[in-house]
Amino acid sequence: VNPFVNYLNTLQRSGGSNENALAESQACNAQFTSIHVSHPLAPVFFDELTKEGGHHVILTGHAGDGKSTIALEVFKMLAGIEEDVPLATPLEPREESGNVTILKDLSERVKQDDGMLLKELDSGERRFLIVSNTGTLLDIIKSNAAFFKSNALELETKVLEAIGSEEGETVLSIGSLQFRVFNLALIDNLDLARSIFERMLAQDRWIACAEKECAKTCPIYINVDLIQQHQQLILDRV
């Protein structure tokens, strides 16, 4: 059996048993690095979080947009881990490196600690990369309207306007805090998808199939071989 085929099958979303598709699992899978393509936002976040006078960063978007994978990239950059080296253990809900903290999913936080988190954000002693969906982000901000010296409706409007910025990026100012907000749902990722598809089709991933008798009748390998023969045309059309 070609182990790469088994790996691709763990990424499918056709059923409920898709835990392996989550970034937490991918972070520790050596096969992941064979198809992973660096996101151009990762170095942008790294620079923002480490430069003097930089802002906190909020990363939002739809489920499956790649938010956690970008957080993983930034963590590796901060920790000095090579891009193609898998982690020994998945990312924790809160990871720290130097004076930067990564919250890989704000919905995993302990709500009772919200006050402490907001004080940390306000102190300026650490920079935060916060990964969150819209609902969770609105919840923590609206629930702490007094901290931001505003009312819930005004705060909700500001957050939604920031998330809905047509450029996919803007600066959100609430109270004394400033964030750079990025919405992956509004950022074109077709070039990334194309690059990932190209890596899936790479010849060395399919050597194990080419040498087997079953390759002659295997629908997967027949399709791969057909795509490889007309790769540029098919990539363009897909």
Side-chain angles (χ1 to χ4, degrees):
V1 176
N2 184 344
F4 186 62
V5 175
N6 285 342
Y7 170 68
L8 292 180
N9 282 333
T10 69
L11 302 178
Q12 56 81 21
R13 299 295 185 94
S14 63
S17 301
N18 61 356
E19 294 87 353
N20 288 325
L22 299 177
E24 289 82 355
S25 174
Q26 294 297 301
C28 303
N29 194 319
Q31 291 271 18
F32 171 65
T33 62
S34 69
I35 65 168
H36 173 248
V37 176
S38 297
H39 200 290
L41 283 179
V44 174
F45 294 172
F46 176 83
D47 290 342
E48 187 66 36
L49 294 165
T50 57
K51 72 180 182 182
E52 185 176 351
H55 295 21
H56 301 302
V57 175
I58 293 175
L59 177 61
T60 188
H62 297 147
D65 274 345
K67 301 185 297 295
S68 297
T69 303
I70 296 176
L72 169 63
E73 282 190 62
V74 176
F75 172 75
K76 285 186 173 182
M77 295 171 73
L78 291 167
I81 300 172
E82 293 294 328
E83 185 179 310
D84 60 350
V85 176
L87 299 184
T89 58
L91 287 180
E92 296 292 336
R94 176 172 175 145
E95 290 283 359
E96 297 185 347
S97 182
N99 66 342
V100 177
T101 297
I102 296 176
L103 303 180
K104 72 175 180 66
D105 188 343
L106 193 60
S107 66
E108 296 177 352
R109 79 192 192 283
V110 179
K111 293 190 68 171
Q112 289 80 356
D113 296 338
D114 282 356
M116 187 182 304
L117 172 60
L118 292 172
K119 288 179 181 178
E120 282 190 280
L121 289 165
D122 194 41
S123 72
E125 294 179 2
R126 306 187 63 77
R127 300 271 174 72
F128 280 76
L129 169 58
I130 300 173
V131 180
S132 177
N133 61 41
T134 303
T136 303
L137 184 62
L138 285 171
D139 176 58
I140 187 174
I141 291 176
K142 290 171 63 179
S143 299
N144 294 277
F147 177 86
F148 297 107
K149 299 177 181 177
S150 183
N151 62 73
L153 181 59
E154 181 181 346
L155 290 169
E156 180 178 41
T157 300
K158 281 189 173 183
V159 172
L160 291 177
E161 286 179 348
I163 291 174
S165 172
E166 291 184 2
E167 292 77 20
E169 172 199 354
T170 191
V171 174
L172 170 65
S173 298
I174 46 175
S176 59
L177 294 177
Q178 281 196 325
F179 302 89
R180 281 186 73 180
V181 179
F182 295 81
N183 185 354
L184 283 186
L186 298 177
I187 296 175
D188 185 358
N189 62 4
L190 286 179
D191 286 342
L192 289 171
R194 181 188 178 110
S195 296
I196 293 169
F197 193 23
E198 286 177 327
R199 292 194 174 205
M200 290 179 174
L201 296 169
Q203 295 285 348
D204 59 351
R205 309 275 184 267
W206 301 97
I207 292 174
C209 289
E211 298 172 347
K212 294 185 181 297
E213 183 67 24
C214 57
K216 298 176 182 178
T217 56
C218 173
I220 296 175
Y221 184 71
I222 290 171
N223 279 335
V224 168
D225 183 56
L226 183 62
I227 293 171
Q228 288 172 340
Q229 292 179 48
H230 308 278
Q231 185 159 318
Q232 294 310 309
L233 175 64
I234 291 174
L235 285 171
D236 289 342
R237 292 186 175 182
V238 170

